[in-house]
Amino acid sequence: MEKINIIIAGPRGRMGREAVNLVMNTNHFELAAVVDHKFDGMMLSDLEGYQAAVNVPIYTDIEKCLQAVEADVLIDLTTPEAGPHHAKTALLHSVRPVVGTTGFTKEQLLELEQLCQEKELGCIIAPNFAIGAVLMMKFSQMAAKYFPDVEIIEMHHDGKLDAPSGTAVKTAEMISAVREPKKQGHPNEKETLNGARGADYNGMHIHSVRLPGLIAHQQVMFGADGQTITIRHDSYNRASFMSGVKVAVETVMKQNVFVYGLENILE
């Protein structure tokens, strides 16, 4: 299989470290460089916790990195502030983005989709790379056809920057595609504490939990007369996301379209 040259943005984060390991341990992947907000001009192997094998340059400027390094794919695992800029800049330099960063606005997603069409390049944005999480979203969409009363509870570590999670929003979007908007709860319901019922998405409620000790967890609860269904997924470590990252990198090289959600590339 032909080598795929990869840049990783966010190599010192917990997800980024797993992505570096993935690339270094996949025969047809080649790590070309990394993008970080610190250590410009240093080598990744100079940093604590990295082996001599990851002897690739660190750039703090995505533009300079893409000008200096020949790459096929950018894996972005950064922040909601940096991710959209990185993805757009990659496409402008004919590099295909694979993005796990969440918090994109609808306007930012539309801009990237239009840029993909103009450049005839693939781009995959996945709110969750865990294949089990993708199945959880698909199963939830199936259930929503028969159980329109639903609440989403997402639980993440206390270092997560956005709420609700991209996975929760994507789940709500998928459910909304098959569910008529419906306001749930008592029609005269009143919050005695603001936010007690969570965020409202077409009448569904999304609740965000942030606690140390958690990684990434979500349950989707459906209710009907005399019965409930709970569909739940748990990621206990960040290695659980890497199988999806690998599939996304391999797939984006074969596509010239914008894809939002890993479920759209899994057969």
Side-chain angles (χ1 to χ4, degrees):
M1 189 176 291
E2 192 170 335
K3 287 277 187 183
I4 301 174
N5 293 316
I6 298 171
I7 296 169
I8 295 176
R12 290 186 299 114
R14 292 171 181 172
M15 279 283 285
R17 288 181 181 273
E18 291 291 348
V20 170
N21 289 334
L22 170 70
V23 172
M24 297 302 296
N25 291 298
T26 304
N27 288 335
H28 57 287
F29 288 180
E30 189 77 35
L31 186 61
V34 298
V35 177
D36 190 89
H37 66 279
K38 295 170 66 176
F39 307 111
D40 189 45
M42 293 179 64
M43 306 299 285
L44 187 58
S45 55
D46 294 332
L47 302 188
E48 184 179 354
Y50 286 102
Q51 300 175 352
V54 289
N55 192 37
V56 298
I58 302 172
Y59 293 86
T60 54
D61 188 318
I62 184 71
E63 185 90 29
K64 290 181 180 178
C65 179
L66 292 164
Q67 290 172 352
V69 175
E70 185 175 335
D72 303 302
V73 173
L74 168 73
I75 299 175
D76 184 89
L77 301 165
T78 56
T79 66
E81 292 74 31
H85 172 65
H86 287 170
K88 179 180 177 180
T89 307
L91 286 168
L92 291 172
H93 286 80
S94 298
V95 173
R96 298 163 188 262
V98 169
V99 183
T101 303
T102 57
F104 282 68
T105 65
K106 290 183 178 180
E107 291 75 21
Q108 289 168 333
L109 293 173
L110 180 60
E111 182 181 20
L112 291 175
E113 184 174 10
Q114 292 172 340
L115 193 53
C116 285
Q117 293 173 353
E118 293 171 13
K119 301 287 288 185
E120 296 185 345
L121 288 171
C123 170
I124 296 175
I125 296 181
N128 198 316
F129 278 114
I131 291 175
V134 175
L135 293 174
M136 175 264 299
M137 289 187 273
K138 281 180 169 284
F139 297 157
S140 297
Q141 187 181 48
M142 292 170 60
K145 294 179 182 179
Y146 307 99
F147 290 80
D149 288 278
V150 52
E151 304 222 355
I152 299 169
I153 305 169
E154 58 94 350
M155 298 153 279
H156 284 78
H157 56 93
D158 57 348
K160 186 169 178 57
L161 296 176
D162 56 321
S165 69
T167 300
V169 173
K170 180 65 175 175
T171 304
E173 290 173 349
M174 290 174 65
I175 289 173
S176 291
V178 300
R179 171 187 177 273
E180 290 294 326
K182 175 185 179 182
K183 185 169 180 59
Q184 297 174 185
H186 194 283
N188 296 322
E189 179 181 82
K190 180 181 179 181
E191 289 183 334
T192 56
L193 286 176
N194 288 337
R197 293 289 287 122
D200 187 303
Y201 190 102
N202 288 341
M204 288 179 280
H205 292 277
I206 303 176
H207 309 269
S208 296
V209 177
R210 297 290 178 267
L211 287 172
L214 297 173
I215 299 293
H217 317 263
Q218 179 169 296
Q219 63 183 41
V220 187
M221 299 181 65
F222 298 88
D225 286 343
Q227 60 181 320
T228 61
I229 297 175
T230 299
I231 301 172
R232 179 174 175 126
H233 176 262
D234 298 275
S235 281
Y236 297 109
N237 60 43
R238 288 166 179 83
S240 65
F241 304 111
M242 291 305 112
S243 58
V245 173
K246 182 175 183 291
V247 169
V249 169
E250 293 169 342
T251 302
V252 80
M253 291 297 297
K254 305 170 188 174
Q255 294 188 338
N256 295 320
V257 295
F258 176 83
V259 175
Y260 177 55
L262 200 64
E263 73 280 358
N264 295 303
I265 65 171
L266 296 179
E267 296 181 357

